[in-house]
Amino acid sequence: MEPYALDERLASDSQSLAHLELCDVRLARDSRWPWVILVPRRPDVSEIFDLSEEEQSLLAQEQVHVAKALKAMTGADKINIAAIGNVVRQLHVHVVARFEGDENWPRPIWGHGTPVPHTDETFNQMANKLRGLLQ
Amino acid sequence: MEPYALDERLASDSQSLAHLELCDVRLARDSRWPWVILVPRRPDVSEIFDLSEEEQSLLAQEQVHVAKALKAMTGADKINIAAIGNVVRQLHVHVVARFEGDENWPRPIWGHGTPVPHTDETFNQMANKLRGLLQ
């Protein structure tokens, strides 16, 4: 079995904020929505049921931890949580803060348009706030 | 607090297959994708973190149970799991079997196009198979 390695596209589209017990918690490099991606640090995992039951339970807890932090930080109208992976098959879970009237509201964010980069300043501000809330 | 009641749109867009410990498991009335919707039978719940920790754990287990059944039934290339709820705010989790080249692949299914009804025969066949796999 290969050791765990992060998919190249996930690596380029997001930046690591924190390592929780199971997941690498990453902030997407896209300013259109506050958007976090959790990647379980396990090799050869594509579906949630490829994880052990203990890991599935950790993933569920870590998703909720991130969702609460994103809600607290943004006051979002709705948190969207999804494991899709049709393009990047390495298991990853999106946790996204949505607001009425935001880009593509109320439709989903995935596959919509082109990423709009953050400035370094706004990215770092958001990253620092989230890191604080995740501790 | 109001008692649990199913949202009208969820009721019209899907049909109940089974009650698990927490969720009403429903089959979407849309033949474009094998598509199941889990609705936790609890009132006033919009986000996963509105559930108790015990209920969150049950939801995670029931999602995986349904995902495995859908994978076994369809041999899908990828299972998509998502709690979005931007339109219908009652908490519900989509579990969808996706195939390379299916309608809107690899983009998400939500908000895409118009539902294509099943015939009664194909709907009932799928419902019966899934019910068997969920037992």
Side-chain angles (χ1 to χ4, degrees), chain B residues 27-28 30-32 73 116-130:
Chain B
L27 182 57
D30 189 335
S31 65
R32 294 176 295 170
M73 186 177 81
V116 176
H118 290 271
T119 64
D120 285 353
E121 191 183 347
T122 61
F123 189 91
N124 290 334
Q125 273 179 356
M126 191 179 290
N128 287 335
K129 270 193 203 165
L130 269 172

Side-chain angles (χ1 to χ4, degrees), chain A:
Chain A
M1 194 165 73
E2 295 292 314
Y4 166 76
L6 182 65
D7 173 90
E8 283 178 19
R9 175 141 174 199
L10 292 175
S12 69
D13 290 353
S14 61
Q15 185 179 303
S16 186
L17 290 178
H19 276 194
L20 300 179
E21 186 173 344
L22 177 65
C23 292
D24 181 13
V25 180
R26 307 180 60 85
L27 182 58
R29 299 187 214 274
D30 189 335
S31 65
R32 294 176 295 169
W33 313 276
W35 176 2
V36 174
I37 298 169
L38 286 84
V39 186
R41 288 176 288 122
R42 295 291 181 272
D44 299 323
V45 172
S46 169
E47 302 284 2
I48 292 175
F49 52 72
D50 295 333
L51 295 170
S52 71
E53 287 187 17
E54 190 187 340
E55 291 164 344
Q56 290 172 27
S57 169
L58 274 174
L59 176 60
Q61 289 166 40
E62 293 181 3
Q63 280 173 209
V64 165
H65 185 52
V66 169
K68 281 180 174 170
L70 213 47
K71 172 83 180 181
M73 186 178 80
T74 66
D77 293 313
K78 191 68 191 65
I79 300 294
N80 293 174
I81 300 180
I84 301 178
N86 302 337
V87 177
V88 171
R89 289 300 171 90
Q90 179 171 35
L91 179 60
H92 59 287
V93 178
H94 304 272
V95 182
V96 189
R98 302 298 305 272
F99 295 86
E100 290 179 19
D102 71 9
E103 174 105 13
N104 213 37
W105 177 268
R107 293 184 179 208
I109 69 164
W110 305 283
H112 173 76
T114 310
V116 177
H118 290 269
T119 64
D120 286 353
E121 192 183 345
T122 61
F123 189 90
N124 291 335
Q125 274 180 355
M126 191 179 288
N128 288 335
K129 269 194 204 162
L130 269 172
R131 256 190 226 104
L133 288 164
L134 290 173
Q135 273 175 349

